[in-house]
Amino acid sequence: MGRRIDLSGAEIRADPGDGSPPIFLPRQPAASPLLALDIGGTLIKLVYTASCGAEAELRFAKFERRRLDDCFDFVRAQGLLGCNGTTTGPSKENMTLKATGGGSYKFGDDFRQKLGVSLDKLDEMDSVVSGANFLLQNVPGAAFTHMSGKRNSIDISPDNLFPYLLVNIGSGVSILKVTGNRKFERVTGTHIGGGTMFGLAKLLTGCKSYDEFLQLSQKGDNFVLDLVVKDICGELACQKQGLSTSTLASSFGKVITSMKKLADYKPEDLASALLSAFTYNIAQISFLVASLLGLRRVFFGGSYIRGHKSTMDNISYALDFWSESQMQASFLQHEGYLGALGALMSYGDPRDENLNLEESQEENSHEAAGPTDVTSADEHNDSNIFPYLLVNIGSGVSMIEVIGKGKFERIIGSHLGGGTILGLARLLTGCSSYEEFLDLSRRGDNLAVDLTVGDIYGERGYPKIGLPASTTAASFGKVNSGKLSEYKAEDLAAALLNSFTYNIGQIAYFVANLSGLKRIFFRGAYVCGHEKTMDKISRSLKYWSKGEVQTTFLCHEGFLGTLGAFWSYENMGIDGLASHEVIREVLLGAPYTGQFPSSPLTPEQENGGNVNAEVEVERLRRDNAVLKSELERLQRENAELKAKLVKSDEAATL
């Protein structure tokens, strides 16, 4: 058995805000170095011991996975192929390095051929949790909050640490419930993570590195591309309804009505919109999962945080908003090295043996079963349809719990809706309509740009936690080039549709689960009448709920449900949603309020706003005419459907 690391007295002596400073180990004797690696989907992270006078310290380094040879050169140059505590004899061929992450399986032969060492493969989730617990239990000041640009260290007693939620943001996102040392459960994850942000950033801004993307986002204004409530309602209507004019309604939603092309937007503004869109989404999913598990302490880690102030501020603000200040986002120093730290801690630990990827496989853990509560068509009547979740997909997304006729409440919303899909589609593919985008997506292959579990772990996938190789790990995570011309518009469209429809389905499932609802209805211009969109959302709900949630789409005021029942907005209890006043309050997909900069006053507003008011009134008149026309169309379709039903009944009688 190799030597163990003495962690007692560990401390960070440098400014904790300076990236990943060394961790001093005053009781660890200076000796041959120890090295551990975390080889992920896009990055290779290294943690190693080094002599610092009579003491030792932990040092940190990282490389892009595509630059594997640079990593090999670094290991040789730093003299990290010493004893490592794991040789079984004098021969170099018997030397092993502790490693975790999917790349430890894919690149084991490369390490053997280039460095002459074997990789002792450790489970990734085990390592991440061990690394987090090491920091929280042994390194003072390793945990901190970051809100409104201000960083505050937090001290947590080891006796009061568990349970907590750990949100690890890598190429994708894994969410784990940690209940003790080596005691945890991966409860869920999302394919919209750091790899998605970076992949889209390469395509939209041409940035070469994630750090460059973060620097761009600092200089940009997301409101150049993002749709806010004022853009939908107008300032006068917002004032009347008491809505904040700067409430975010739809990320990239302004692109839909703009005549601009991708080249007309500043890279800084595109980067800012990407960062806010996806950090808010990660925070929202984290809030929903923590609520379902009854947890109030949430730690965020992973290589895509990187101590970036805006990233941490966005996550902190969103979590505080959704939880009504009942949850607080906490971050970890060295957050990108949790897996490598955990692997390093395993030196000399007899409990850590070479991992068999197949061990502890959860049978069918991610296979969706059929619905467990099948209700016949004639049982759907006014009394038992309630309660249900109504998901309205417009430019943004609103989720409303309906408990009876005229009794409904908006529970939550999302800024990643139809406006986001079409906005990004226009920038990436140049399509001019949602129908054209859907047509492109039908002919595309999302796997040309999406990173799968198999791309990270190999053809076996990650069966220990039930993830087959075909599972999407990170949407757009396979994008390596910033040249749009190198990718087919059809493939980009397919990846966009997959990414956001599955995200909407996941959030809808969590919200329904949290509210104890088993039935979800979807409506909205970006869903109904579009077969592929409905199919993707249905698949998402079936996957996440394992078939326990019934999904139905409202394509008209009167419609045939999935099991043949005829419903109307009236007997569903939502005819009141047609009210102009109520629709502004309830159906806006606008989750965030109060923290965005106000728009500067125009000269007309400064002079009393008379001109602006006249323009606003005229705009509202035009909008009213459009709404009236749409209502008439729906009424005609409703009449046609009812006529068809009557004919069907007459035919059945004959």
Side-chain angles (χ1 to χ4, degrees):
M1 183 176 70
R3 56 191 174 87
R4 302 187 64 172
I5 301 176
D6 189 342
L7 305 175
S8 55
E11 63 177 332
I12 299 172
R13 295 177 181 173
D15 183 348
D18 293 341
S20 299
I23 297 177
F24 283 88
L25 304 174
R27 294 179 178 82
Q28 172 72 15
S32 299
L34 294 173
L35 168 66
L37 307 97
D38 177 4
I39 310 172
T42 51
L43 292 174
I44 305 171
K45 287 81 67 179
L46 291 76
V47 179
Y48 58 97
T49 60
S51 298
C52 183
E55 302 174 347
E57 64 182 18
L58 297 181
R59 294 179 183 173
F60 305 84
K62 65 177 182 287
F63 299 88
E64 290 185 44
R65 199 172 85 166
R66 61 191 178 92
R67 299 187 180 281
L68 190 60
D69 286 338
D70 290 347
C71 176
F72 293 152
D73 291 342
F74 178 83
V75 170
R76 295 189 195 97
Q78 296 295 317
L80 299 181
L81 293 177
C83 169
N84 262 296
T86 57
T87 53
T88 55
S91 172
K92 184 179 178 182
E93 284 71 21
N94 292 322
M95 186 183 300
T96 60
L97 299 176
K98 298 287 186 178
T100 189
S104 61
Y105 296 90
K106 292 198 69 173
F107 299 109
D109 290 342
D110 293 89
F111 276 84
R112 189 176 297 108
Q113 294 168 8
K114 300 291 183 66
L115 294 181
V117 297
S118 299
L119 297 182
D120 182 8
K121 307 174 187 68
L122 306 172
D123 178 62
E124 182 176 357
M125 299 302 154
D126 275 329
S127 298
V128 166
V129 171
S130 294
N133 284 342
F134 156 69
L135 291 173
L136 291 168
Q137 293 174 320
N138 295 280
V139 183
F144 61 94
T145 61
H146 203 287
M147 190 79 162
S148 301
K150 187 176 181 180
R151 173 184 174 130
N152 289 307
S153 295
I154 54 176
D155 293 322
I156 301 172
S157 168
D159 298 329
N160 191 37
L161 174 60
F162 308 109
Y164 66 84
L165 195 72
L166 178 60
V167 182
N168 194 52
I169 307 173
S171 298
V173 180
S174 284
I175 302 179
L176 306 101
K177 178 183 178 181
V178 183
T179 55
N181 290 318
R182 295 179 169 273
K183 297 178 181 178
F184 68 92
E185 174 190 4
R186 183 187 185 275
V187 289
T188 191
T190 172
H191 55 280
I192 295 182
T196 311
M197 282 190 280
F198 190 25
L200 286 171
K202 290 176 188 175
L203 295 172
L204 294 174
T205 73
C207 65
K208 299 293 192 298
S209 70
Y210 192 71
D211 290 324
E212 181 185 350
F213 158 66
L214 292 177
Q215 291 171 3
L216 282 172
S217 71
Q218 289 291 101
K219 308 170 189 174
D221 178 8
N222 62 296
F223 291 104
V224 172
L225 298 104
D226 290 349
L227 193 71
V228 295
V229 172
K230 182 182 70 172
D231 301 318
I232 300 174
C233 298
E235 228 167 297
L236 294 179
C238 286
Q239 292 170 5
K240 184 176 180 181
Q241 296 298 334
L243 297 171
S244 170
T245 58
S246 56
T247 298
L248 178 59
S250 175
S251 293
F252 292 91
K254 277 184 185 171
V255 179
I256 299 173
T257 55
S258 173
M259 300 300 291
K260 293 181 179 180
K261 297 181 179 180
L262 176 58
D264 297 325
Y265 290 99
K266 294 179 180 178
E268 295 87 345
D269 297 336
L270 292 161
S272 178
L274 281 173
L275 186 70
S276 62
F278 296 121
T279 49
Y280 287 144
N281 189 70
I282 291 169
Q284 182 176 39
I285 291 176
S286 301
F287 156 72
L288 291 169
V289 174
S291 298
L292 284 166
L293 298 174
L295 301 176
R296 292 291 177 266
R297 181 174 288 150
V298 185
F299 290 99
F300 290 86
S303 57
Y304 282 88
I305 296 178
R306 304 199 182 181
H308 186 242
K309 294 180 180 179
S310 293
T311 298
M312 295 186 289
D313 277 352
N314 286 351
I315 291 172
S316 296
Y317 168 69
L319 190 64
D320 180 77
F321 176 88
W322 289 120
S323 69
E324 297 180 342
S325 300
Q326 296 303 303
M327 297 180 194
Q328 186 178 47
S330 300
F331 302 92
L332 296 170
Q333 189 75 47
H334 306 97
E335 73 284 297
Y337 296 91
L338 300 183
L341 277 168
L344 192 75
M345 298 304 112
S346 70
Y347 277 112
D349 189 338
R351 292 175 296 181
D352 280 296
E353 300 175 353
N354 195 282
L355 173 70
N356 180 350
L357 254 184
E358 315 297 334
E359 69 182 25
S360 302
Q361 179 174 353
E362 298 173 11
E363 294 184 5
N364 303 319
S365 61
H366 282 264
E367 290 184 9
T372 58
D373 181 19
V374 179
T375 309
S376 63
D378 57 3
E379 288 182 292
H380 286 297
N381 53 48
D382 289 1
S383 61
N384 67 10
I385 190 175
F386 307 110
Y388 64 85
L389 185 68
L390 177 65
V391 180
N392 185 71
I393 304 177
S395 294
V397 181
S398 281
M399 300 187 186
I400 303 149
E401 181 179 9
V402 184
I403 60 175
K405 287 190 175 181
K407 298 178 181 179
F408 47 81
E409 177 184 7
R410 182 181 185 276
I411 303 175
I412 207 167
S414 171
H415 55 290
L416 299 186
T420 312
I421 299 174
L422 184 53
L424 283 170
R426 286 195 170 183
L427 294 173
L428 292 171
T429 72
C431 66
S432 58
S433 68
Y434 193 60
E435 288 72 19
E436 183 184 349
F437 158 70
L438 289 175
D439 184 57
L440 282 172
S441 71
R442 291 186 190 97
R443 294 183 273 119
D445 179 10
N446 65 292
L447 296 182
V449 292
D450 286 351
L451 188 73
T452 66
V453 172
D455 293 325
I456 300 173
Y457 285 92
E459 61 184 14
R460 293 173 296 176
Y462 195 169
K464 185 176 180 180
I465 59 173
L467 295 178
S470 59
T471 303
T472 301
S475 295
F476 293 92
K478 206 182 283 183
V479 173
N480 290 319
S481 170
K483 295 181 179 179
L484 267 176
S485 58
E486 296 185 10
Y487 298 92
K488 293 181 180 179
E490 294 87 346
D491 297 338
L492 296 172
L496 279 173
L497 188 66
N498 263 28
S499 176
F500 291 103
T501 50
Y502 272 80
N503 186 68
I504 290 169
Q506 182 180 29
I507 292 176
Y509 166 66
F510 287 149
V511 172
N513 198 358
L514 194 59
S515 302
L517 304 174
K518 293 293 185 181
R519 185 179 290 121
I520 304 177
F521 290 90
F522 289 85
R523 72 180 293 274
Y526 288 92
V527 180
C528 295
H530 303 299
E531 183 178 347
K532 186 158 187 177
T533 307
M534 293 188 286
D535 179 65
K536 293 289 184 183
I537 291 176
S538 296
R539 289 174 181 270
S540 175
L541 260 298
K542 187 177 181 181
Y543 175 87
W544 292 111
S545 74
K546 296 181 172 62
E548 294 180 0
V549 172
Q550 178 184 315
T551 307
T552 308
F553 297 90
L554 311 184
C555 296
H556 309 280
E557 187 205 352
F559 62 97
L560 287 173
T562 52
L563 297 174
F566 184 82
W567 291 312
S568 69
Y569 287 170
E570 181 179 1
N571 64 29
M572 289 183 67
I574 58 172
D575 52 316
L577 289 181
S579 162
H580 187 66
E581 301 295 321
V582 175
I583 214 163
R584 291 197 185 282
E585 291 183 353
V586 180
L587 292 187
L588 288 172
Y592 308 112
T593 60
Q595 289 288 320
F596 299 100
S598 301
S599 300
L601 292 176
T602 64
E604 291 86 354
Q605 290 171 320
E606 291 176 347
N607 294 323
N610 292 331
V611 176
N612 191 53
E614 292 175 4
V615 173
E616 181 67 19
V617 169
E618 181 59 30
R619 190 190 67 78
L620 289 173
R621 283 176 180 163
R622 290 197 303 269
D623 288 351
N624 185 56
V626 172
L627 289 170
K628 184 178 179 181
S629 175
E630 179 67 11
L631 178 60
E632 290 172 352
R633 184 185 67 80
L634 290 172
Q635 287 173 338
R636 288 195 302 271
E637 291 180 355
N638 183 38
E640 292 171 2
L641 279 169
K642 286 182 178 179
K644 289 179 181 179
L645 278 176
V646 170
K647 290 181 181 179
S648 177
D649 289 342
E650 289 174 350
T653 302
L654 293 175

